[in-house]
Amino acid sequence: SEAFLSFFRGPLFIAASNECKALVTQFDHWAHHLVSGGSLISNHLQLWAGWVVCADGGKDDGIVFQAVSITLLIFAAMLLAYRTGLLRATPRFTKILMFATLGVGVFYLVNWILSMFGVQSFYYGNGWLSIAVSAIVAGIAAFNLIIDFTMIEEQSKMGAPKYMEWYSAFGLLVTLIWLYLEILRLLSKLSSRD
C-alpha cells in the first residue's frame, strides 16, 4: 500500500538506515577494514541516489545534478567558514544544534507514524510551509557539518588512533547524505510548483 511504500521513501527510513550503519561501525571494530578507499560506500551511494530518483517516478530534470552541486557548494562554504573561524562549535552552538537535530528526528518520526495510518503530512506536499520546513531542515543539516569538522580537528589534536579516522569520515558522510537528500527534496518541491 501507499503508506508502506512511503516509509521507504520517507526521511525516517533514511535516518533509520543511517543509524543502523552508524551502530555497525561504532560497535564493530572490523568495519573499517571492509571499506577500501571508500569505493564500497561511493558505489552504494550512487545506486541509492539513482533509486531515490526512480522512486520519484524517474523524473530528473537536472535536479540531481543541482542537488549535488548545491551540496558541494554548501560543504565548501561551511569548511571555509570553519577554517577562517567565522563559525565555531561553541558549547552553546553545539547544544542548540543538537536540540534542533533532535527536533528534526522527532518531526521525521511523527510524519512516519502518521503515514502508517494513511495520514499524509503537509511535509510531503509542495506548499510554502512544506518548502520552508525543508529549507530549515537543510540549514540544520548544513550546520551539523561544523560539528563534524570540530570532531575531526579535536581527534587529530588529541592524537586519536588511526582507525578513528574512519568514524570521523563516516560521520561527515552521513551529514553530507542528509544534506543532499534535504536539498534534493527542496528542489523537487520547488520544481513541482511550476
Side-chain angles (χ1 to χ4, degrees), residues 94-136:
T94 304
K95 188 177 187 180
I96 291 170
L97 192 58
M98 288 300 111
F99 277 112
T101 305
L102 180 64
V104 170
V106 169
F107 178 72
Y108 286 165
L109 179 65
V110 167
N111 279 318
W112 177 65
I113 291 170
L114 288 174
S115 72
M116 289 182 65
F117 293 104
V119 177
Q120 191 69 16
S121 170
F122 74 92
Y123 183 64
Y124 298 112
N126 64 354
W128 286 112
L129 181 60
S130 174
I131 290 170
V133 169
S134 288
I136 290 168

Side-chain angles (χ1 to χ4, degrees), residues 6-48:
S6 71
F7 168 74
F8 291 102
R9 287 191 301 246
L12 187 64
F13 175 72
I14 296 162
S17 64
N18 285 337
E19 185 62 29
C20 289
K21 292 173 197 170
L23 288 172
V24 166
T25 56
Q26 182 179 2
F27 293 114
D28 292 341
H29 293 285
W30 51 265
H32 66 281
H33 295 294
L34 294 177
V35 179
S36 170
S39 62
L40 179 65
I41 290 177
S42 64
N43 289 339
H44 174 73
L45 292 179
Q46 289 171 359
L47 288 172
W48 198 69

Side-chain angles (χ1 to χ4, degrees), residues 29-91:
H29 293 285
W30 51 265
H32 66 281
H33 295 294
L34 294 177
V35 179
S36 170
S39 62
L40 179 65
I41 290 177
S42 64
N43 289 339
H44 174 73
L45 292 179
Q46 289 171 359
L47 288 172
W48 198 69
W51 178 82
V52 168
V53 171
C54 289
D56 194 29
K59 301 175 289 189
D60 182 353
D61 300 331
I63 290 176
V64 172
F65 177 74
Q66 292 172 6
V68 169
S69 300
I70 291 170
T71 302
L72 293 175
L73 287 172
I74 290 172
F75 173 79
M78 295 304 256
L79 183 60
L80 181 66
Y82 179 77
R83 295 297 293 163
T84 59
L86 185 63
L87 288 174
R88 287 286 173 199
T90 63

Side-chain angles (χ1 to χ4, degrees), residues 109-186:
L109 179 65
V110 167
N111 279 318
W112 177 65
I113 291 170
L114 288 174
S115 72
M116 289 182 65
F117 293 104
V119 177
Q120 191 69 16
S121 170
F122 74 92
Y123 183 64
Y124 298 112
N126 64 354
W128 286 112
L129 181 60
S130 174
I131 290 170
V133 169
S134 288
I136 290 168
V137 171
I140 291 169
F143 281 111
N144 269 282
L145 290 170
I146 300 299
I147 303 293
D148 293 333
F149 297 150
T150 302
M151 184 180 72
I152 291 168
E153 186 176 42
E154 287 177 358
Q155 286 181 352
S156 176
K157 284 180 182 176
M158 292 186 322
K162 190 82 171 151
Y163 71 88
M164 290 302 292
E165 292 174 3
W166 163 255
Y167 297 111
S168 299
F170 184 78
L172 184 61
L173 184 64
V174 168
T175 304
L176 284 171
I177 293 168
W178 179 32
L179 177 61
Y180 164 74
L181 290 172
E182 286 302 327
I183 290 171
L184 187 64
R185 179 180 302 278
L186 181 61

